[in-house]
Amino acid sequence: MTAFVTLAPDASPSGHRFDAGRRWAASLELAFDKRSGATRMTQARHRGPLRVQRPFYPEGREGACHVYLLHPPGGLVSGDTLAITARVGSGARTLLTTPAANKLYRADSHGVAWAQQTRLEVADGGILEWLPQETIAFDGSRGEQCTTIALEGQARCLGWEVLALGRPASELPYVSGRIDQRFRLVRDGRPLWLERQPLDPRHPRFAGRWGQGGASVQATLWAVGLEDEAGAVEALRAALPASSRWAVTVRHGVLLLRYLGNDRNEAWALCEAAWKALRPRLTGRVACVPRIWLT
């Protein structure tokens, strides 16, 4: 079940200020199970402005169930909390995406933060693709993002997070605020990938060449459950344009592709190309682009 962020009027360990009196919460709990040879959405429980459209089956009844997550406000402001839980049952195949970019707006005059938690659970033999569109953080945004991926047995998962800091094209760079990101990926309770990243433009690492290097866009793509990890790395190197802005590694069975640059369109195109190269190796099916990306 989703563990909601506990909001208190004082600061959190990461330095964010929450206010219990200004808590606008939205939650979504989804479940997918294999029924009669097809993946069915068996639960869609929501609270607040966070819902889903009906499931789509562009790959046929035996393919992945495509579902779009809808957040009508289109972004997070001070006091907002979003909690998303998705559970994929044994043998089920699910692809989750969003219809538009998520926006993290500037904190109010009191500096109250927002919070977003995502928990993805995949049972033995299940496959989940988590492919949200990019997140855009406005200057002055303050909040915490936490993503937890819990796999069981031979479960497989491929996903990404693309984050653009500020709006350089409008001459509004990210020069104030703070965003704390946490990733936790476990298989049968054993940690495979744990990461915490504070994004604070006042910290030396934000501009330092040993850290963010002044980059305004970053992306991370992960794939877990590949049978031939070395072959997958070579496939990526063959499919993606040569550049110093991305790199790929494999540790503890987790393939990680990283991008660090200044072009969110380039980051998105890189992740999409990587997904198209990896999906046949992970799921046995060629990529089927969600039609919402084309509108």
Side-chain angles (χ1 to χ4, degrees):
M1 298 296 291
T2 299
F4 287 95
V5 175
T6 299
L7 302 182
D10 55 348
S12 72
S14 60
H16 293 296
R17 181 182 183 276
F18 295 107
D19 189 339
R22 298 183 54 196
R23 182 174 185 266
W24 298 294
S27 65
L28 179 66
E29 297 179 23
L30 303 175
F32 301 87
D33 293 286
K34 191 172 184 179
R35 302 278 178 84
S36 301
T39 298
R40 303 299 183 192
M41 185 167 65
T42 54
Q43 177 178 296
R45 182 182 303 164
H46 74 91
R47 182 177 64 169
L50 192 57
R51 306 190 180 196
V52 297
Q53 284 188 330
R54 66 178 179 83
F56 297 95
Y57 295 89
E59 304 175 65
R61 66 187 306 273
E62 295 183 357
C65 174
H66 290 218
V67 171
Y68 306 154
L69 309 184
L70 306 178
H71 182 227
L76 298 174
V77 300
S78 291
D80 281 356
T81 64
L82 292 188
I84 299 171
T85 299
R87 181 186 61 80
V88 178
S90 179
R93 297 184 173 207
T94 305
L95 186 154
L96 299 177
T97 187
T98 58
N102 181 33
K103 298 179 179 63
L104 309 176
Y105 292 107
R106 184 181 184 88
D108 63 11
S109 59
H110 299 286
V112 175
W114 49 262
Q116 180 175 356
Q117 290 203 4
T118 303
R119 181 174 178 84
L120 310 174
E121 302 175 358
V122 190
D124 184 22
I127 302 175
L128 173 62
E129 296 167 84
W130 173 256
L131 309 175
Q133 296 203 44
E134 71 270 23
T135 296
I136 302 173
F138 285 40
D139 178 39
S141 182
R142 300 186 65 87
E144 297 180 350
Q145 290 180 314
C146 180
T147 300
T148 300
I149 305 165
L151 308 180
E152 298 177 358
Q154 300 303 308
R156 287 168 280 175
C157 181
L158 189 155
W160 65 46
E161 294 286 347
V162 179
L163 175 63
L165 298 167
R167 294 174 291 163
S170 301
E171 299 183 353
L172 295 170
Y174 189 74
V175 295
S176 65
R178 177 181 170 117
I179 298 172
D180 283 84
Q181 291 185 322
R182 291 177 175 83
F183 292 92
R184 177 179 174 84
L185 191 155
V186 301
R187 186 184 292 280
D188 296 324
R190 176 174 172 266
L192 301 180
W193 171 36
L194 304 177
E195 182 171 294
R196 175 178 178 269
Q197 176 179 225
L199 295 167
D200 184 346
R202 300 168 301 177
H203 195 281
R205 75 170 295 277
F206 194 82
R209 294 177 62 86
W210 50 273
Q212 188 81 6
S216 62
V217 179
Q218 61 182 53
T220 298
L221 177 147
W222 64 85
V224 192
L226 292 163
E227 293 184 0
D228 181 7
E229 295 168 350
V233 171
E234 290 305 312
L236 286 179
R237 289 174 175 162
L240 304 183
S243 172
S244 61
R245 291 184 293 278
W246 67 268
V248 59
T249 60
V250 179
R251 294 197 65 185
H252 306 298
V254 181
L255 181 149
L256 288 176
L257 173 71
R258 309 277 198 173
Y259 169 89
L260 194 61
N262 295 291
D263 188 333
R264 62 189 174 103
N265 291 328
E266 180 183 48
W268 175 268
L270 186 79
C271 287
E272 185 176 349
W275 168 63
K276 290 178 178 178
L278 293 175
R279 193 184 202 240
R281 294 173 172 270
L282 191 78
T283 72
R285 287 177 172 263
V286 297
C288 179
V289 175
R291 67 182 187 184
I292 195 69
W293 294 358
L294 306 177
T295 60

